[in-house]
């Protein structure tokens, strides 16, 4: 028996353009594009990729959202689950295209909800979630 | 001992000097131009370099927003490399009138078609 790696089918449009323009360079694409390929790009459904970081004061979530207008993004933090949602309609001539996505990630406990802030720059959304006092590292002096 | 290690490690470092990735992109067309939209998250207008050499269009996007020092990763899904995209154009374009703009991490390139490939309206006399 042979195991053959399953190649995700590409949408017709993108494979046509790859034939036209591809120079054979390896493609590293975000995981989200797999859903586009499976459901067809018309479904307009993908999950944005996210990085989670921490330093002594904050947890940080970084989302890559190229081309997303900040006004269409909704952020919600509840029970240590951070949810990002966006729905956008663009009208071009007589065509209306809708893009929407939603992603929920779990963040560590102990975030000061009132002080969460978010910033969008060059297609990258950074959410800063300050740690509650009890979670911060503390220097303990030895007497 | 340390010199021996140095000689072994140096060539490997050079080989990994740059970590490129191919960005996602779309190509569409209207009567006058080809529109190329390239997704370059984390790149602002200063980090984009576009060149056209013969029939190869190359877009290089260098990330301008880096993760600050001192942030410890808990989970990583994003790639960190810079972007490079080479497209071979199989139609003549008007090089002098190529326009580009960068907004929200997306590069919009407009490549006007050369006059000889534009659709021509033929009047019936």
């Amino acid at each position: 028996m042979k195991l053959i790696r399953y190649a995700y089918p590409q949408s017709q449009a993108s494979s046509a353009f790859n034939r036209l323009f591809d120079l054979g360079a390896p493609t590293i694409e975000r995981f989200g594009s797999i859903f586009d390929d499976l459901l067809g790009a018309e479904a307009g459904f993908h999950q944005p990729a996210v990085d989670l970081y921490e330093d002594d004061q904050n947890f940080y979530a970084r989302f890559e959202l190229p081309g997303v207008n900040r006004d269409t993004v909704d952020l919600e933090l509840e029970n240590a689950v951070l949810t990002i949602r966006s729905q956008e309609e663009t009208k071009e001539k007589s065509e209306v295209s809708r893009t929407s996505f939603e992603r929920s990630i779990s963040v560590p406990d102990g975030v000061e909800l009132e002080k969460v802030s978010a910033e969008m720059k060059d297609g990258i959304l950074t959410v800063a979630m300050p740690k509650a006092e009890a979670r911060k590292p503390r220097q303990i002096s030895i007497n | 001992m340390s010199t021996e290690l140095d000689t072994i490690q140096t060539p490997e470092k050079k080989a990994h000097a740059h970590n490129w990735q191919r960005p996602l992109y779309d190509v569409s067309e209207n009567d006058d131009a080809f529109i190329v939209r390239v997704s370059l998250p984390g790149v602002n207008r200063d980090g984009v370099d576009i060149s056209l050499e013969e029939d190869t269009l190359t877009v290089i996007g260098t990330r301008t927003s880096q993760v600050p020092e001192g942030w410890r990763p808990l989970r990583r899904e994003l790639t960190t490399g810079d972007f490079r995209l080479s497209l071979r154009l199989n139609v003549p374009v008007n090089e002098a009138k190529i326009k580009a703009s960068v907004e929200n991490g997306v590069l919009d390139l407009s490549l006007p078609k050369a006059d000889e490939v534009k659709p021509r309206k033929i009047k019936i006399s």
Side-chain angles (χ1 to χ4, degrees):
Chain A
M1 196 180 102
K2 270 187 190 168
L3 279 178
I4 298 169
R5 187 183 290 271
Y6 177 67
Y8 287 99
Q10 283 191 311
S11 66
Q12 283 183 338
S14 71
S15 54
F17 279 118
N18 283 344
R19 274 202 305 279
L20 279 175
F21 294 117
D22 202 341
L23 290 174
T27 328
I28 306 163
E29 288 181 342
R30 274 207 322 258
F31 185 66
S33 61
I34 290 170
F35 291 106
D36 285 348
D37 291 342
L38 283 177
L39 301 171
E42 295 81 14
F45 166 80
H46 73 185
Q47 287 200 307
V50 61
D51 274 359
L52 202 59
Y53 296 90
E54 69 168 336
D55 64 11
D56 290 347
Q57 269 77 46
N58 300 285
F59 296 109
Y60 301 96
R62 262 167 73 95
F63 292 89
E64 271 190 357
L65 307 171
V68 175
N69 189 334
R70 78 173 72 188
D71 299 329
T72 66
V73 176
D74 278 326
L75 272 171
E76 190 181 292
L77 181 59
E78 194 184 11
N79 296 330
V81 173
L82 178 69
T83 303
I84 180 168
R85 265 186 213 102
S86 170
Q87 194 151 25
E88 193 166 8
E89 268 189 21
T90 43
K91 285 191 183 128
E92 202 167 303
K93 291 175 193 165
S94 59
E95 287 176 35
V96 182
S97 65
R98 288 184 192 83
T99 348
S100 68
F101 60 82
E102 178 170 339
R103 173 96 200 252
S104 293
I105 57 162
S106 59
V107 293
D109 282 330
V111 169
E112 289 214 45
L113 287 175
E114 310 79 47
K115 293 185 186 160
V116 173
S117 63
E119 189 200 13
M120 184 86 136
K121 193 170 174 262
D122 300 330
I124 293 197
L125 174 73
T126 306
V127 185
M129 295 165 281
K131 295 179 184 180
E133 281 302 318
R135 297 277 302 197
K136 288 182 189 167
R138 212 166 297 166
Q139 288 285 331
I140 296 157
S141 56
I142 303 164
N143 295 317
Chain B
M1 187 67 195
S2 67
T3 48
E4 195 180 330
L5 270 180
D6 285 345
T7 51
I8 295 167
Q9 283 170 352
T10 317
E12 206 173 328
K13 265 185 198 161
K14 272 185 191 159
H16 292 265
H18 221 127
N19 176 14
W20 295 108
Q21 58 174 311
R22 206 165 94 135
L24 297 174
Y25 67 97
D26 270 342
V27 184
S28 56
E29 156 179 32
N30 59 29
D31 287 347
D32 302 318
F34 291 95
I35 315 291
V36 183
R37 270 172 75 86
V38 189
S39 151
L40 301 171
V43 178
N44 70 14
R45 53 173 297 155
D46 299 327
V48 179
D49 187 73
I50 304 157
S51 60
L52 184 64
E53 197 183 321
E54 286 173 30
D55 59 351
T56 304
L57 176 80
T58 305
V59 174
I60 289 179
T62 312
R63 284 183 191 262
T64 42
S65 71
Q66 297 287 351
V67 173
E69 292 267 323
W71 287 21
R72 298 183 294 275
L74 298 174
R75 184 172 64 197
R76 304 206 60 170
E77 294 173 4
L78 305 183
T79 48
T80 51
D82 294 328
F83 299 99
R84 183 166 62 183
L85 177 67
S86 285
L87 299 177
R88 201 159 50 79
L89 308 175
N90 54 6
V91 284
V93 299
N94 190 341
E95 296 180 24
K97 289 189 179 160
I98 293 179
K99 273 186 247 160
S101 67
V102 181
E103 198 182 357
N104 291 335
V106 173
L107 167 71
D108 270 303
L109 263 176
S110 158
L111 310 170
K113 295 178 189 174
D115 287 333
E116 64 259 34
V117 291
K118 276 188 192 169
R120 216 162 292 165
K121 292 238 164 87
I122 295 156
K123 276 185 194 156
I124 302 166
S125 48

